Amino acid sequence: MSISPGLLSFLSDLKANNSREWFAANKALYDVEKGNFDKLIDSLILSYSEFENMVGVERKHCSYRIYRDVRFSKNKEPYKTWFSASFSEGGRRSGLMDYYLHIEPGGKSFLGGGMYSPTPEQMAKYRQEVDYNGAALRKIVESPQFVSTFGTAEGEMLQKVPKGFDPTSEDAPYLRRKQLFYWKHYTDNELQSADFISQLMKDSVVMKPFLDFLNATFFDKEPF
């Protein structure tokens, strides 16, 4: 299974015509492509269940609405110009760090995961864990396979190591983190290739130890 050319075409047209009038006129096409994406989500739930606990997780627990909440946003465009879903035990509202799949034409599609909007409590737990056990995190995210797949860390950083932590530590770059997430982008051709799901799963398996580290830190959750 792969991403259909029609889905990418619809999203490209939506980006060029992001209005309620255009969307209403093309609602039937949206329904078709959303149906195709829903089938993909169903397939991915089964695939992720091979190495994550997905018991009870359904499509509705993974998918995101295309309608934007514009109440508090300067961007008043009514629709997202991508399809997306996230996968974890308990679904996207579980609070667990999950595998986030973002489908957007023009090379903007990606698999991502990590600490994007941590709470103050999570940041405190994270820094404590890095201070005690930073070598475990470095072993994961600095491994050749992880780096070749996801590159270097994304997200905001403090200018200095927070007070109470050693600024000369090997873990200083991780202690300075306000966010810590990784992503791998896919070209439109890669999305449409017959082995896309297989590749996505291989990449997800590479990401799994990083997510396991964060979930154990935040929730004392043991790997599946």
Side-chain angles (χ1 to χ4, degrees):
M1 183 176 289
S2 61
I3 303 298
S4 71
L7 187 150
L8 297 177
S9 178
F10 172 81
L11 290 174
S12 294
D13 290 343
L14 175 59
K15 186 172 184 178
N17 304 275
N18 200 329
S19 69
R20 290 180 175 83
E21 293 77 16
W22 184 90
F23 193 86
N26 292 270
K27 182 63 164 52
L29 181 57
Y30 165 75
D31 289 340
V32 169
E33 299 306 338
K34 179 61 165 60
N36 290 333
F37 190 66
D38 285 344
K39 292 176 184 177
L40 176 68
I41 292 175
D42 291 339
S43 177
L44 289 176
I45 290 172
L46 294 176
S47 295
Y48 277 111
S49 68
E50 296 180 8
F51 53 90
E52 296 289 352
N53 181 7
M54 303 296 285
V55 174
V57 175
E58 302 175 16
R59 178 199 309 160
K60 63 183 180 182
H61 303 135
C62 302
S63 63
Y64 293 88
R65 289 162 51 87
I66 199 169
Y67 307 98
R68 295 184 65 252
D69 184 351
V70 301
R71 292 173 299 171
F72 308 108
S73 174
K74 292 182 180 179
N75 181 355
K76 297 302 181 182
E77 291 182 341
Y79 306 104
K80 301 172 185 175
T81 55
W82 59 85
F83 284 160
S84 58
S86 58
F87 303 87
S88 70
E89 179 180 340
R92 64 183 179 85
R93 297 187 184 277
S94 67
L96 294 172
M97 304 297 104
D98 53 23
Y99 307 87
Y100 174 75
L101 177 63
H102 180 103
I103 302 299
E104 184 174 5
K108 296 181 179 180
S109 300
F110 63 88
L111 169 69
M115 189 172 68
Y116 189 77
S117 300
T119 66
E121 180 183 9
Q122 287 176 331
M123 282 307 309
K125 288 183 177 181
Y126 163 79
R127 290 197 174 110
Q128 183 181 54
E129 184 64 22
V130 171
D131 188 43
Y132 291 156
N133 196 26
L137 176 61
R138 285 186 278 110
K139 183 179 180 180
I140 295 168
V141 301
E142 295 179 7
S143 70
Q145 186 180 30
F146 195 95
V147 172
S148 66
T149 303
F150 294 105
T152 56
E154 301 285 344
E156 296 182 5
M157 298 178 69
L158 298 171
Q159 291 186 347
K160 298 180 180 180
V161 171
K163 291 182 179 180
F165 298 99
D166 181 5
T168 66
S169 167
E170 284 186 278
D171 301 313
Y174 299 99
L175 291 168
R176 290 171 51 208
R177 282 283 165 189
K178 296 169 65 178
Q179 298 173 306
L180 180 63
F181 57 92
Y182 295 85
W183 54 19
K184 176 182 177 179
H185 282 84
Y186 302 101
T187 66
D188 292 355
N189 285 338
E190 288 173 328
L191 294 179
Q192 296 172 75
S193 68
D195 65 346
F196 171 65
I197 300 305
S198 175
Q199 184 61 55
L200 181 67
M201 289 300 103
K202 290 178 182 178
D203 297 336
S204 295
V205 168
V206 174
M207 177 170 280
K208 176 176 169 57
F210 170 57
L211 298 183
D212 287 344
F213 177 90
L214 293 179
N215 285 323
T217 298
F218 297 153
F219 307 104
D220 297 321
K221 183 183 179 302
E222 295 296 327
F224 177 65

